């Protein structure tokens, strides 16, 4: 008991949030425009790392097809598939050399058709990655464009002729020199690339480029795909006079990139010409977008996109020294404030998403939970409870359903991600602190989230019979699908149960979200209310016990889910064990 840190939500509610909370509770629920894409649960598959069928060490479409029954068994409705198009793989498929062809490592178009058919037969929808801010320097458009200043494709890209001098500074995410302009000798000009040198930015100001994009979107939609996840879509429009970067964006260049002059016109045009003609789902990767601009993308009246990935949770904790949060008692209150703020952005219009991991992040349980042996299981289940009880479309990254954790490489030679490798090269050149960099990458590198799926305890975790393109986490000996299937209390089976709960409780999808006890440093608690039914979600983010008392107007009813065996209900309050998560009826 001594270690128990008793916190009372009751006192806080009665005082700090008293009146405003009561007012919020009595307010009518947000206008509910029901839509299938608000009700789905999305499972993200990074195909390179999912399942290899031919022994080349790279996951492929046939491998994915062989696991469709597994995906179906999870209870998810949609798969978002990272890029599988032809690509030299400078950035694992985010550098596309032919938008209408399949990367040979992944398989063939016939495999793709079989995949789509197999998914649709199982009632699973397919969302493809649309990567059209840039393509590959191996794309025919770019080969033509760079071949001569008068080539018909010249204006498909952004060129700065050398006789105008050095172009105004633009930063690149992945470039070894952080420079987004690369000099090309053939025509004595620089081309723009916000990402790597092999990812030249397409010139959306050219109407021909936009028509090409709409054409390729229709190609996939006519095949029957069900939607698009749009890669760095806020970056597409550029001021082609390339003025010097305004001073206020120094150090925050994504915010500048996300404010191109014709961005929203282009999205409205895309909606008119393509999106409005299909019943599909769209999600824009909201890189660089400030909270006050987010609604513009998804406000139904503006006819642009449907949903939006914001970056504030994935960037959270990175401020001031990457993954270390300066004042640990502020960690959870700050994170809760981020969730609360973004819920309000889409309260009356638009719709949000929630995710805690993806192919650009380290593993969810290592980042927001606790991957040490005593807590990995409960904290992963707790995080799934969070993901599946928000007013937003949840995205679950493959492997998180079994609680896969960071691999934490210590040797630069183990990395495959160009972001890590190029940054390392740059630091080395500059004489920077490489040991410190590697220690940071062990926590935050994208490769942590890209290690192969752990299917079983055998060779290469059952991912491949060849040599995996990226090392398999040695903890596959204990963390793997086969073992999780046999254990009724596994993270995997809890995840399935949690999905079933979301599907039977409309309040968890559409219900009003009200944060409780915002300042509580250990517990994330909130209610979801719909048509008189109120559910309480209480999530411990602590290795200590935490007590939660509930407002008198709440009557604790049925415990709908609990990630531990003991009930935390004590009188009219809760006593949560470390990383305990519950969803509880608290009156109608
Ligand atoms: O990611 C965009 C990207 O790089 C962001 O994570 C960026 O760091 C952020 O905007 C900073 O605010 C997408 C893909 O998800 C990623 O895998 C690709 O490498 C990248 O675009 C380039 O296509």
């Amino acid at each position: 008991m001594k270690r128990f840190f008793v916190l009372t939500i009751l006192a806080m509610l009665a005082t700090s949030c008293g009146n405003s909370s009561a007012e919020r509770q009595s307010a009518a629920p947000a206008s509910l425009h029901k839509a299938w894409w608000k009700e789905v649960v999305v499972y993200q598959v990074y195909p390179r790392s999912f399942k290899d069928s031919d022994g080349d060490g790279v996951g492929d479409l046939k491998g994915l097809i062989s696991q469709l029954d597994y995906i179906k068994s999870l209870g998810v409705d949609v798969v978002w598939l990272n890029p599988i198009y032809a690509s030299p793989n400078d950035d694992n498929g985010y550098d596309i050399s032919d938008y209408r062809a399949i990367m040979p490592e992944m398989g063939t178009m016939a495999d793709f058709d079989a995949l789509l058919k197999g998914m649709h037969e199982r009632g699973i929808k397919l969302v493809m990655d649309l990567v059209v801010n840039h393509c590959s320097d191996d794309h025919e458009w770019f080969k033509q464009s760079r071949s001569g200043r008068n080539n018909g494709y010249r204006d498909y890209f952004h060129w700065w002729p050398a006789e105008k001098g050095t172009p105004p500074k633009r930063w690149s995410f992945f470039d070894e020199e952080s420079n987004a302009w690369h000099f090309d000798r053939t025509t004595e000009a620089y081309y723009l690339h916000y990402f790597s040198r092999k990812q030249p930015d397409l010139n959306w100001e050219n109407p021909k480029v936009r028509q090409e994009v709409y054409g390729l979107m229709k190609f996939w939609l006519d095949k029957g795909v069900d939607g698009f996840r749009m890669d760095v879509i806020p970056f597409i429009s550029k001021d082609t006079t390339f003025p010097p970067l305004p001073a206020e964006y120094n150090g925050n260049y994504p915010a500048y990139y996300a404010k191109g002059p014709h961005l929203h016109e282009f999205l409205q045009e895309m909606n008119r010409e393509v999106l409005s003609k299909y019943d599909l789902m769209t999600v824009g990767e909201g890189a660089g977008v400030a909270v006050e601009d987010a609604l513009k993308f998804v406000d139904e009246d503006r006819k642009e996109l449907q949903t939006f990935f914001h970056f504030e949770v994935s960037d959270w904790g990175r401020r001031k020294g990457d993954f270390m949060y300066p004042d640990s008692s502020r960690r959870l209150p700050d994170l809760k404030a981020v969730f609360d703020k973004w819920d309000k952005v889409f309260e009356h219009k638009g719709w949000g998403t929630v995710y805690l991991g993806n192919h650009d992040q380290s593993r969810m349980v290592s980042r927001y939970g606790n991957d040490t042996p005593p807590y990995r299981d409960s904290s992963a289940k707790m995080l799934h409870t969070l993901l599946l009880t928000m007013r937003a479309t949840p995205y679950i990254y493959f492997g998180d359903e079994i609680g896969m954790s960071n691999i934490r490489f210590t040797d630069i030679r183990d990395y495959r991600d160009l972001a890590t490798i190029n940054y390392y090269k740059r630091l080395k050149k500059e004489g920077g602190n490489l040991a410190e960099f590697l220690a940071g990458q062990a926590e935050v590198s994208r490769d942590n989230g890209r290690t192969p799926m752990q299917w079983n305890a055998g060779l290469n975790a059952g991912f491949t019979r060849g040599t995996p393109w990226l090392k398999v986490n040695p903890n596959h000996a204990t963390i793997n699908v086969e073992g999780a299937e046999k254990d009724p209390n596994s993270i995997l089976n809890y995840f399935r149960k949690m999905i079933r709960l979301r599907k039977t409780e409309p309040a968890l999808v559409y219900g009003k979200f009200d944060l409780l006890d915002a300042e509580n440093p250990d517990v994330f608690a909130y209610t979801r209310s719909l048509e008189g039914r109120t559910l309480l979600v209480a999530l411990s983010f602590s290795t200590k016990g935490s007590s939660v008392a509930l407002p008198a107007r709440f009557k604790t009813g049925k415990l709908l889910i609990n990630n531990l065996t003991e009930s935390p209900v004590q009188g009219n309050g809760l006593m949560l064990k470390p990383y305990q998560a519950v969803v509880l009826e608290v009156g109608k």
Side-chain angles (χ1 to χ4, degrees), residues 385-402:
T385 315
L386 165 64
L387 282 166
L388 291 159
T389 54
M390 282 287 153
R391 177 162 58 180
T393 299
Y395 281 71
I396 283 74
Y397 187 53
F398 88 93
D400 282 347
E401 76 274 24
I402 54 165

Side-chain angles (χ1 to χ4, degrees), residues 91 94 131 134 173-174 195 199 229 231-232 235 254 285 287-288 311 315 359-360 446 450:
D91 185 20
Y94 282 94
V131 189
H134 46 269
F173 290 95
F174 300 152
F195 293 89
Q199 294 169 294
R229 173 267 184 190
D231 192 61
V232 291
F235 294 177
E285 192 201 18
F311 275 63
D315 285 346
H359 65 294
D360 292 335
R446 306 195 296 183
R450 297 177 177 184

Side-chain angles (χ1 to χ4, degrees), residues 87 100-101 115 120 171 175 320 322 416 437 441 526:
S87 165
R100 296 168 199 237
L115 171 69
H120 285 169
W171 301 88
D175 189 68
K320 300 196 186 148
D322 235 2
R416 296 291 171 269
F437 173 72
Q441 289 298 296
Y526 45 92

